[in-house]
Structures are given as structure tokens and as C-alpha cells.
């Protein structure tokens, strides 16, 4: 049963085991911030649902995970698990038994998992109300037994594999029916095929990797394993933010994944960029998020897309066609018009957020005194988007539109400096009362994304202010000496990938190369120390919240690319 293993080894407590295209993962993480004792098969269709619990005969088995294989070991006994395609896992064991149990003991008319022995094929089938899918366990070798078949109410429903003889099974996720699992597929060959597939992805994504970028392969795995096939409301192949509980696509997170994929897989990258635009509402607004079974419009996200499109075109390994450019222009124009028409108070030049969630910086201290505010980051990002639209219009030979976008940009640029710059730093302004409100949040320094378009004195002041936020691990979203700082305060202290990438790029374009290099180096070292968490403690570097976040992995790859 010995097979060759390549690729990164990782803690399955932090990063789920999955593969590109699959809608389920193997993980002990069964809900937000909730770790089970055992690994589970966790589906991400219709939400996040632990379906099957995988329990070895002993509670002292050690678990290791690589890109192609999960292994439980206890003495000379072991159980191995790998993927066969995107909807099936194969398991085999020798000297160690395994029990596969419905994650919920109770079956009701509207919840839980039912187990029955399929009389058509030699298999046992779990059918889950939560996912609306079936999970067929097909014996391939060994004595497979089941308890709780056809049981209703509260009961144990399980399939058991023996410790006293070699055994092997396939577990398939499907909808209603499918042909019997084909016999004869060699387990070791499945592992080798998966190793080869992932290695090809890494070689294309990060051909530049070296000993100086030790986390590149793991970053690639986080992206690769979080990618799902089109299903539900996700109309394109999609890189989820995570195959933990952040299993959606939010309408700014996707941009960073698109950029990381641009050179290696331009078609997948383009799908990532466009995916939220498939759900623009009649006003042109993007949804807050898109998941398998829901599209949420309760908030929006910041207009980072003009900045991202310019970056994307520079990084893509193929040029966009004229039709693609025209399509992108129309979508981006509608998104921009939403902000101009629906998020500007009559007589005001600057747009406003209605809540911190609109900014993506949900609870930043910028929003402490008011929620409905005109903020400098929003104006700066919209400026970049207007400039991108002007350039696209000119490229598409629409000179009148190009002039209109350019004039709008000039008006907002002037208002940003006239109305929100106080001579030392940017402030926010209440959309209703017009009162200026300074804060100590990193969000107020985000106009550095304008780069060389800022007056040199403003650029220098922002660069100086950023140093107050710079810890040994990167840019804290709230200075650690602020009375509002919270170590695990979400956007009130921790370090985040998107802010890092945007600020690093702005500093570099503004000519502050040394500071940009320092920001990049510290964040990359943080990821190499603590992985790819949703965010990080600014003082200790500890990973916080969801520990397998794709935009963090993408940020590492972007900042590591020569």
C-alpha cells in the first residue's frame, strides 16, 4: 500500500482536504469556529453541512494530509483516503478499522440523514436532507457491515470497516441515481494521477518558486482545492473563499483570486473576475456574495474592480478579445453608475457607504460614530474605476464616453482633496449631516491606492501614517497603541491580505519603494509562519478565524511573484 507522495503536507485542522472541482471536503471543521474530534465529509452544496463522520477504531490514530492523500495511522495499521474524480473518494485500510456514521443521529421529516441498503447494487446509501444529495458506500474489498439501515427517528446509522482484514470502499456524492461504481480502478494510480494534476497546477501557477518562497506550494493547494465546478448560482468554475464556513464568493474577494490565477489560467481568472457580475441587479449593483444556493443583496462591496481589471490585464497570459473588453466595459460601467446615481446625496460629488459591510471592512473604527458616510477609500477606489472606464472607452473608440468618465474622475478627485483631506490625513464625512469624522483606522489611509495621482505632500503624509500601523508582521488595521485596538477584533486590529496588496501596490506606484518592499516582506513572512488565515493577530502573527482563506493565499502568491 506504499505510494509516492509529493506536494505540501499540511495540518488538516487548518486546511481541509479536497481537490479542484469537488463540492465536498474532508475536515474536522463542521461549522463556524467549530472543530469536531473526527474528520467529516463536509458538503458545501446548499450551505456547509457535515454529512458523514469518519471514525477510526482508536482515538489515538495520527492523521497526516498531503495534496493527494489523507492517512490515519496507529501502530502498523493505517487507513488512506484519496479522490477519484470530483465527486468520489476512495478509502482503504489495513490493520485499522473505520466507522462511517451519519453526522446527525436524529432523522426528522425535514432534517438528518437516512441510511438504506441499495437492493439494486451491493452498496449502502446515506441520503441527506441538508444537502439534497446521496452518499453511496460501495464495498470493493473486505467485510463491510451496516447498522441503522431504514431506521427512523434517533438512531445510529453507520457502515463499519474491519481492522482484522484489508478493506476498500468508494464513497460517491450524487443526486438521485447513478450507475454502479466501476470496479478495477487502482487506488495507487488514483493517488499518482492526483499528484500529477496538482503538480501541473503548481508548476504553471508558480514556476518561479524557490527556497525563498517556501509557502508557494501550500498557497497553490489552498486555491486549487477550494475551486468548485459550476453549480447552483455559481454559473462558472469558482474559487470559494474557503472550504470551511466562508464557502462563498464575496464581491471583492474574487478579484484577488483572479489576479493570482491570471498568468497560469487566464480563463479561470476571467471567470473569477466576472462571476459576481453575472448577478448584477437592475441598478447595476453587485451582490454582497454568491454561494451555491443563495445570492445576497443586503450589502454591496467596494468598487475595487477598476483597479483589479487594470492589474488583471497586465498579468494575464493572453490578451482579452474585443468582445471580452466590451462586455467588461458595460458591466463595469453599470457598477460605477450604481455608485454615482444611487450612492451620492443630491449636490454631493462623493459617494457613501450605508454600513461598514459595504466597504468590506465591516466593523472598522471609521464607522463607529456613523454608518452612512462618505469615506476616502471609497472615493479613491471609484476614482481608479472611473479612470479604467475612460481608458476602456477610448480603446473601444468611444471618445465621448471616455471624456465623460474622465470629467467625473476629475470632479471626484477634487472633492476628495477639498472635502476629506484635513491637511494631515483623510477623514470621513457624514452623508446626512456633513460632519467630518477622523478615525485611526487603516481604512482612512487607503487613498494611497491612487499612487502617483496623489499630490506628493499627501502621498508622503499617508506613507508616514502607514508606519504607525506597521508591526513585525504587517499592517494592522488599527494601530496596536490605539484604545480601540482588539487583537481578534476583525477589522479593528488584525492584519488582512486585501489591504496589504492594495496598499503595497499604491506605495510602489507612488514611489515609496522601500516601504512597499517592507510591507510585502513582512506579510509574506507572516504567511510562511502562520499559513493562510482569514486574518492575523498583528502582534503575535497568529492566524485567526477561517484558516484556509483563498484571498490570503492569492495575496502571498501576488507578492511573491518576481
Amino acid at each position: 500500500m506504499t505510494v509516492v507522495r509529493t506536494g505540501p503536507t499540511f495540518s488538516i485542522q487548518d486546511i481541509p482536504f479536497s481537490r479542484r472541482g469537488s463540492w465536498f471536503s474532508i475536515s474536522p471543521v463542521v461549522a463556524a469556529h467549530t472543530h469536531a474530534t473526527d474528520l467529516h465529509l463536509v458538503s458545501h452544496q446548499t450551505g456547509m453541512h457535515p454529512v458523514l463522520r469518519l471514525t477510526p477504531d482508536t482515538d489515538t490514530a495520527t492523521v497526516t494530509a498531503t495534496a493527494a492523500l489523507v492517512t490515519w495511522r496507529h501502530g502498523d495499521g493505517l487507513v488512506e483516503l484519496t479522490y477519484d474524480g470530483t465527486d468520489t473518494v476512495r478509502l482503504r485500510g489495513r490493520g485499522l478499522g473505520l466507522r462511517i456514521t451519519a453526522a446527525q443521529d436524529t432523522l426528522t421529516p425535514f432534517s438528518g440523514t437516512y441510511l438504506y441498503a441499495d437492493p439494486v447494487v451491493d452498496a449502502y446509501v446515506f441520503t441527506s436532507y441538508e444537502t439534497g444529495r446521496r452518499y453511496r458506500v460501495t464495498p470493493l474489498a473486505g467485510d463491510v457491515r451496516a447498522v441503522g439501515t431504514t431506521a427512523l427517528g434517533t438512531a445510529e446509522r453507520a457502515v463499519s470497516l474491519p481492522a482484522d482484514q484489508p478493506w476498500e470502499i468508494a464513497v460517491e456524492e450524487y443526486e438521485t441515481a447513478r450507475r454502479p461504481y466501476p470496479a478495477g480502478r487502482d487506488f495507487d494510480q488514483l493517488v499518482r494521477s492526483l499528484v500529477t494534476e496538482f503538480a501541473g497546477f503548481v508548476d504553471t501557477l508558480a514556476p518561479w518558486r524557490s527556497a525563498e518562497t517556501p509557502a508557494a506550494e501550500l498557497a497553490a493547494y489552498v486555491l486549487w482545492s477550494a475551486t468548485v465546478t459550476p453549480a447552483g448560482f455559481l454559473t462558472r468554475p469558482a474559487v470559494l473563499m474557503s472550504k470551511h464556513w466562508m464557502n462563498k464568493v464575496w464581491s471583492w474577494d474574487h478579484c484577488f483570486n483572479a489576479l493570482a490565477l491570471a498568468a497560469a489560467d487566464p480563463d479561470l481568472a476571467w471567470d473569477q473576475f466576472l462571476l459576481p457580475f453575472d448577478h448584477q441587479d437592475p441598478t447595476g449593483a453587485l451582490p454582497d456574495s454568491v454561494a451555491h444556493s443563495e445570492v445576497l443583496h443586503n450589502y454591496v462591496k467596494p468598487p475595487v474592480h477598476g483597479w483589479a481589471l487594470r492589474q488583471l490585464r497586465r498579468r494575464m497570459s493572453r490578451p482579452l478579445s474585443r468582445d471580452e473588453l466590451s462586455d467588461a466595459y458595460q458591466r463595469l460601467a453599470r457598477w460605477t453608475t450604481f455608485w454615482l446615481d444611487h450612492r451620492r446625496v443630491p449636490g454631493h460629488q462623493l459617494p457613501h457607504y450605508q454600513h461598514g459591510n459595504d466597504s468590506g471592512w465591516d466593523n472598522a473604527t471609521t464607522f463607529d460614530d456613523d454608518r452612512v458616510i462618505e469615506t476616502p477609500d471609497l472615493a479613491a477606489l471609484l476614482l481608479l474605476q472611473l479612470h479604467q472606464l475612460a481608458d476602456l472607452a477610448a480603446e473601444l473608440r468611444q471618445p465621448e464616453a471616455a471624456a465623460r468618465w474622465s470629467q467625473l474622475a476629475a470632479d471626484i478627485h477634487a472633492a476628495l482633496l477639498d472635502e476629506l483631506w484635513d491637511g494631515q490625513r483623510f477623514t470621513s464625512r457624514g452623508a446626512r449631516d456633513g460632519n467630518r469624522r477622523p478615525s485611526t483606522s487603516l481604512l482612512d489611509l487607503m487613498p494611497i491606492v491612487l499612487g502617483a495621482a496623489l499630490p506628493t505632500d499627501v502621498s508622503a503624509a499617508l506613507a508616514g501614517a502607514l508606519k504607525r500601523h506597521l508591526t513585525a508582521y504587517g499592517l494592522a488595521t488599527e494601530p496596536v497603541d490605539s484604545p480601540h485596538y482588539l487583537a481578534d477584533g476583525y477589522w479593528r486590529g488584525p492584519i488582512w491580505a486585501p489591504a496589504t496588496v492594495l496598499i503595497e501596490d499604491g506605495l510602489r506606484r507612488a514611489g515609496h519603494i522601500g516601504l512597499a518592499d517592507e510591507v510585502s516582506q513582512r506579510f509574506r513572512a507572516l504567511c510562511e509562519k502562520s499559513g493562510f488565515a482569514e486574518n492575523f493577530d498583528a502582534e503575535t502573527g497568529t492566524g485567526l478565524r477561517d484558516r484556509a482563506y483563498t484571498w490570503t493565499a492569492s495575496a502571498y502568491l501576488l507578492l511573491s511573484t518576481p
Side-chain angles (χ1 to χ4, degrees):
M1 296 176 69
T2 302
V3 297
V4 176
R5 301 172 181 83
T6 65
T9 299
F10 55 90
S11 168
I12 204 166
Q13 297 295 316
D14 293 335
I15 299 173
F17 177 75
S18 192
R19 60 151 297 150
R20 180 172 177 168
S22 180
W23 274 95
F24 66 82
S25 55
I26 306 300
S27 174
V29 179
V30 294
H33 312 291
T34 304
H35 279 71
T37 302
D38 296 315
L39 298 186
H40 284 63
L41 186 152
V42 182
S43 176
H44 298 280
Q45 300 191 72
T46 75
M48 178 188 184
H49 303 292
V51 180
L52 302 176
R53 182 169 63 250
L54 310 176
T55 308
D57 281 351
T58 173
D59 58 8
T60 60
T62 59
V63 180
T64 58
T66 68
L69 195 68
V70 173
T71 305
W72 293 259
R73 289 185 183 275
H74 179 71
D76 294 331
L78 82 164
V79 172
E80 296 176 304
L81 180 152
T82 192
Y83 268 88
D84 178 4
T86 61
D87 61 10
T88 301
V89 286
R90 283 277 294 272
L91 296 97
R92 67 181 181 183
R94 183 190 63 205
L96 184 60
L98 186 75
R99 196 168 182 85
I100 301 175
T101 310
Q104 295 183 43
D105 289 338
T106 301
L107 177 68
T108 79
F110 303 104
S111 66
T113 300
Y114 174 68
L115 173 65
Y116 64 94
D118 191 334
V120 177
V121 297
D122 181 18
Y124 297 99
V125 180
F126 295 89
T127 177
S128 166
Y129 276 100
E130 281 71 25
T131 69
R133 269 74 185 169
R134 297 164 192 258
Y135 302 84
R136 183 171 67 187
V137 180
T138 300
L140 303 174
D143 182 19
V144 180
R145 299 183 179 181
V147 296
T149 56
T150 71
L152 304 179
T154 299
E156 183 183 29
R157 300 168 181 84
V159 173
S160 295
L161 295 314
D164 59 359
Q165 58 181 285
W167 57 265
E168 192 163 343
I169 60 171
V171 182
E172 304 163 90
E173 180 184 58
Y174 60 100
E175 291 180 350
T176 307
R178 73 186 327 179
R179 294 186 180 279
Y181 181 81
R185 294 187 180 178
D186 180 70
F187 189 99
D188 291 342
Q189 182 56 48
L190 292 175
V191 174
R192 287 191 292 269
S193 295
L194 199 56
V195 165
T196 299
E197 181 180 337
F198 174 66
F201 177 80
V202 178
D203 287 343
T204 305
L205 184 70
W208 39 260
R209 67 193 187 278
S210 69
E212 296 184 355
T213 55
E217 281 197 350
L218 187 57
Y221 177 78
V222 170
L223 279 177
W224 179 78
S225 64
T227 303
V228 295
T229 55
F233 287 110
L234 293 168
T235 53
R236 304 165 183 269
V239 180
L240 303 177
M241 293 311 105
S242 173
K243 277 186 180 169
H244 288 324
W245 62 88
M246 302 295 280
N247 56 353
K248 300 182 182 183
V249 176
W250 276 267
S251 292
W252 71 309
D253 308 45
H254 68 110
C255 290
F256 300 91
N257 290 339
L259 294 179
L261 292 164
D265 193 337
D267 292 336
L268 182 60
W270 192 232
D271 280 331
Q272 300 323 295
F273 181 76
L274 290 180
L275 195 150
F277 286 94
D278 293 341
H279 299 281
Q280 277 183 289
D281 76 6
T283 70
L286 295 182
D288 182 45
S289 63
V290 183
H292 175 272
S293 300
E294 67 177 21
V295 180
L296 299 182
H297 286 276
N298 51 331
Y299 297 105
V300 293
K301 284 293 174 275
V304 71
H305 304 83
W307 170 86
L309 182 56
R310 190 179 299 277
Q311 295 268 340
L312 189 60
R313 294 188 68 187
R314 186 163 64 245
R315 292 173 178 273
M316 283 180 74
S317 55
R318 69 165 176 85
L320 294 175
S321 69
R322 187 174 181 82
D323 285 346
E324 287 173 323
L325 284 177
S326 179
D327 181 46
Y329 171 74
Q330 293 173 35
R331 294 173 187 248
L332 199 64
R334 291 182 60 218
W335 175 219
T336 305
T337 300
F338 160 79
W339 289 100
L340 298 173
D341 289 355
H342 300 283
R343 289 295 183 91
R344 291 199 296 182
V345 175
H348 288 212
Q349 290 289 346
L350 299 177
H352 61 268
Y353 293 129
Q354 296 174 343
H355 186 283
N357 288 1
D358 282 343
S359 73
W361 296 51
D362 308 3
N363 66 332
T365 55
T366 300
F367 301 95
D368 279 0
D369 295 330
D370 196 354
R371 308 284 187 267
V372 184
I373 52 175
E374 298 166 359
T375 65
D377 71 297
L378 175 53
L381 291 172
L382 193 62
L383 269 172
L384 293 177
Q385 195 150 291
L386 287 163
H387 286 303
Q388 176 65 10
L389 283 169
D391 290 347
L392 284 173
E395 189 174 352
L396 294 168
R397 299 179 184 177
Q398 300 180 33
E400 292 182 0
R404 184 175 70 254
W405 295 123
S406 294
Q407 185 58 57
L408 285 164
D411 294 342
I412 290 177
H413 197 166
L416 170 64
L417 295 172
D418 292 345
E419 299 172 21
L420 299 186
W421 179 250
D422 68 3
Q424 295 184 318
R425 65 180 290 139
F426 284 103
T427 65
S428 296
R429 186 176 72 169
R432 293 164 295 187
D433 60 22
N435 292 336
R436 284 191 177 191
R437 292 177 171 85
S439 84
T440 50
S441 174
L442 185 65
L443 187 63
D444 289 6
L445 304 180
M446 289 305 294
I448 195 66
V449 299
L450 293 173
L454 285 170
T456 55
D457 62 325
V458 175
S459 170
L462 292 177
L466 284 166
K467 294 177 182 177
R468 184 187 173 198
H469 291 261
L470 193 58
T471 74
Y473 299 103
L475 291 164
T477 45
E478 187 73 18
V480 296
D481 60 358
S482 164
H484 306 295
Y485 174 82
L486 294 171
D488 187 10
Y490 219 51
W491 292 92
R492 302 173 75 89
I495 294 166
W496 286 79
T500 300
V501 170
L502 286 162
I503 289 172
E504 190 270 352
D505 173 65
L507 285 169
R508 203 168 292 285
R509 287 185 288 106
H512 302 288
I513 306 301
L515 184 54
D517 288 343
E518 192 66 24
V519 168
S520 174
Q521 187 278 325
R522 294 188 190 192
F523 184 80
R524 285 182 282 119
L526 172 62
C527 292
E528 290 159 8
K529 171 184 182 289
S530 300
F532 305 105
E534 185 180 357
N535 54 41
F536 302 88
D537 186 306
E539 295 181 283
T540 68
T542 302
L544 303 172
R545 308 295 175 114
D546 195 310
R547 301 298 181 86
Y549 215 78
T550 53
W551 74 357
T552 309
S554 289
Y556 178 84
L557 293 167
L558 289 168
L559 295 173
S560 299
T561 303

